[in-house]
Amino acid sequence: MTTYTPPVKDMNFVLNDVLQVSKYSNLPGFSDAPEDVITAILEEGGKLAANVLHPLNKVGDKEGCKLNPDDASVTTPTGFKEAYGQYREGGWGGLSFDPEYGGQGLPHVLAIAVQEMFSACNHAFIMYPGLALAAANALHAHGSDEQKQTYLPKIISGEWGGTMNLTEPHCGTDLGMLRTKAAPQGDGSYKISGQKIWISAGEHDMVDNVVHLVLARIEGAPEGVKGISLFVVPKYLVNDDGSLGERNKLQCGGLEEKMGIHGNATCVMNYDEATGWLVGEENKGLAAMFVMMNEARLGTAVQGLAASEISYQNAAAYANDRIQGRALTGPKAPEKQADPIIVHPDVRRMLMDQRATLEGGRAWLYWSALQADLEHKSEDDETKVKADDYLGLMTPVLKAYLTDKGFDHASTALQVLGGSGYTQEWGMEQFVRDARIAMIYEGANGIQALDLVGRKLPKNGGRAIQAFFADIDQFVSDNQGNEELKPFVEGLTSAKADLADATAWLMQNAFQNPDNAGAASTDYLHLFGLVCLAHGWAQLAKAAIERRGEGGDTVFFENKLITGKYFLARILPEKSSHLAKIKSGAEPVMALDAEAFMAS
Amino acid sequence: MTTYTPPVKDMNFVLNDVLQVSKYSNLPGFSDAPEDVITAILEEGGKLAANVLHPLNKVGDKEGCKLNPDDASVTTPTGFKEAYGQYREGGWGGLSFDPEYGGQGLPHVLAIAVQEMFSACNHAFIMYPGLALAAANALHAHGSDEQKQTYLPKIISGEWGGTMNLTEPHCGTDLGMLRTKAAPQGDGSYKISGQKIWISAGEHDMVDNVVHLVLARIEGAPEGVKGISLFVVPKYLVNDDGSLGERNKLQCGGLEEKMGIHGNATCVMNYDEATGWLVGEENKGLAAMFVMMNEARLGTAVQGLAASEISYQNAAAYANDRIQGRALTGPKAPEKQADPIIVHPDVRRMLMDQRATLEGGRAWLYWSALQADLEHKSEDDETKVKADDYLGLMTPVLKAYLTDKGFDHASTALQVLGGSGYTQEWGMEQFVRDARIAMIYEGANGIQALDLVGRKLPKNGGRAIQAFFADIDQFVSDNQGNEELKPFVEGLTSAKADLADATAWLMQNAFQNPDNAGAASTDYLHLFGLVCLAHGWAQLAKAAIERRGEGGDTVFFENKLITGKYFLARILPEKSSHLAKIKSGAEPVMALDAEAFMAS
């Protein structure tokens, strides 16, 4: 019942006109992706998304996954396996991965755009290859040569899957408490024992093997986070010739029943003296896992944006189609019994809220993904450091802001459909249920906010945010004379001023009482997100003005400016309330005794 | 897995200390409800809610309702029928209904408090008697004596159910388009034919008969809303002696699969020359139905508040129990491996957001319910008119604001539980799914906003809002000398000033372009809601200060003041962003062409 049109035109505009990725043709992989190749890849990816993954979205939700008690295998929903075959054959899994292991080495920013379409069409499905890729990235960064040769080509080809095993029943956020044990066997291998929960794609029928990356504590290791190591624990052991050997002693002990993403198998994984091998150094597992986490967090931000896009598209289509009542300013479709509901300003408000955030968010997200390319591929140290700073700073903001909005937008889109939105038939409520998880996994959004104010902000004496502010100042100064851009420059300037104000307040008050940082963290993150959107919109508007001057599809560029002005008038004002809340400090938040929260 | 403690203490505080309902003992029914009786009724209702309805909440969600193809009957979830029996035996259905028809005639404000507990514990269940009561209210207001005698005692005793039949597949909000026909039979009866959808409690196995109130168009009636009449169409015709007669020609044609409230039967109702009788005057059906709608909208506001309360309680319990990480200011539970997560300011923020809104919201909602008592029962015309004005003005604000917040809070509470919140096992995600409907039914929240700015605000030259402003001014002037109350008085003053500003802006700009009202409507409603919360908190704080002076549970009163100050510091600042959005006018909202919203 739902519909999806790949937003290739918008993506092309961001990639080619705003980010101008062709400027980076000196970087490996970028010269392979000129404009026409980018368009072709986006269009091909869009076809797979819209024609193959999208029709399976509801199937996955309805059927869910089934655990077969006989052999603890997991059956994915009807059609998933065949769709995964097409995904694999298209080479989508390794689009931007290292060519040495079978990847195509294309720009990461392009892979992110493709991922957006897949995620929009089938959140539950894309998690399978998404987790596999995250595991591959961690092995690529921290694995031995042998481990890389053994696992990476098979994961990148899509023959094998991969997972991240962090959470245990008693610990999720606080991994220092984890209990899974690793007993060294003297031959370089370890016996891994323990229970992990909420393991997405932990067991399923679409791949021949699953490569689990597992956090565990080597016997005798220090307590807390300093005693955690990372292990690779394949479902099937791998023979020297690369063929599959013995079944490892691990299995899926149950599937979680969840609010959404029913098409993805969320597994309890039981390790009972399973054979594993250390990845990276002993007791440095958390750092190695963070490579996965950062990639995964950017991927989660993509899911938020994708939820905004597909829910927006369906709400807009309904609003143009459904007739009900008349425009306040007189009939707009007098030939019909009523006007389409898009004539109503409050319906417009809902649609514009979604659209203005998602278009600005796309510019911001893709720009951030480009920083990942620069960080990995640039040969200039200064560029690499700056890109790394940016990415570290932006990752928690992107993850939390865009997933908060993805859920909000899915819910707003449901509201546009009224009662129909609440029925399963129309598919909108699935978007809401699926989008809800992204605010939680890969670090709950409150944890992202704490990561931002507690770690990313003060890191290297605030170098990252100072560089971001300097970039904004540069943009503002470069564009002072541009009369049409003026509202965007002014909006960005005032937003940056508020963020600078909030940052100064944090520096002054967090040292004296760390709870001031904690109490401010989520509002600070949302204020930060608004500044990033203002930054994104200023760049979108500049490119639109320039491109419009060259002729072509002037309506497209005009509409960008209209949408950007909506952002300035109707979304950016939220910054003031965030600033006021931040500056009210920890006292109102912490004043009640903990016991007073309990019902009595 | 979820828990519920009836908030009797908080309810008592609002009823007895803030609203001082004992002052109204001159009104019929109020003298029957002194403090000790109020407490006894709240405690008894709380027991039914917590011990009977709450355990069935998950059952209802899991099992849903079943349509039996043989006879089109509907089976409710296991246990619902028995629970309904207890509800009926307790006389809960007619708590505040006219004693002439078997009701107890107690204050409506007390019935609302009881309804809050029932709704918190089982949203889907309470809709069955809720709709029946709404139908009874409409019959009481507009039915003939014979109709009242025939139907009301049976509905109030709980033997029969009742429904509201408005929506048809092609029309919900815009009832002018409805097509259901009524053919006069010459004997005072009509043959009703047509299809109605989304009929909550339309068919079920807990009652012997269902009294449908159906909007239909009498043959030859004018087009549009001026040709709609209201009919009573019972499932079984009623013999002269009150016994059940012939089965009427109507049946349930299907059950809607929905996001939530699975325990309630949402029916397609097919009328095929069913026998019905006119209620009230020909072609005045919409006005008669609005009596139901207003009651139902207040009831929906209660559902929003109830969702906030139960989701808050469960989040607070989890936050006190779950250990994870350490407080930023050093360990708070050094004897444990980690601190309970309630030590974290961002967790506190989430809980305080819920609590501060719901406690202020309860004061506001109950105060509004008291206006319904005054409107119906006062013998003073001026009091009646003022109460009627208030209730008309507040109903859309209460309905939309409290249901928006009910959903937000349920989602926030889920977030406190992290991954556990997303699993079905913990029950939090059901609160989110169930709460979502209240933003839609009984008039989608955008329609409430339009009702507020388009009808309620300008009605009688703005008499209602001027009276509200005058009350606020009076409160402010009466309490100028109260030093401890000062922040509350100041918060209320500045909030009122913003609302007055926004109201003046609307008056100046809506006439010139009605889209300015439409574009502002939702932000105006939310600004209005914040002023009402500020008003509620000022009254709560005043009562808390006074009662604390008398000794007793001083911690309880101190906590009220702390929570109120959180509202002032952390929630009320949102008013500024609403005001800025309102004043940006319709232009940014309406500037895009309708076609530009479609994906391309």
Side-chain angles (χ1 to χ4, degrees), chain A residues 281-301:
Chain A
E281 293 177 52
E282 261 186 42
N283 301 334
K284 305 274 186 194
L286 221 49
M289 189 60 102
F290 266 112
V291 173
M292 270 172 97
M293 294 292 288
N294 275 331
E295 299 284 339
R297 283 172 180 180
L298 212 59
T300 309

Side-chain angles (χ1 to χ4, degrees), chain A residues 172 174 324-325 422 433 574 581, chain B residues 172 174 324-325 422 574 581:
Chain A
D174 186 359
Q324 204 78 185
Y422 197 69
R433 289 184 290 103
E574 293 165 11
K581 291 182 188 188
Chain B
D174 186 358
Q324 204 77 186
Y422 197 69
E574 292 165 12
K581 292 182 189 190

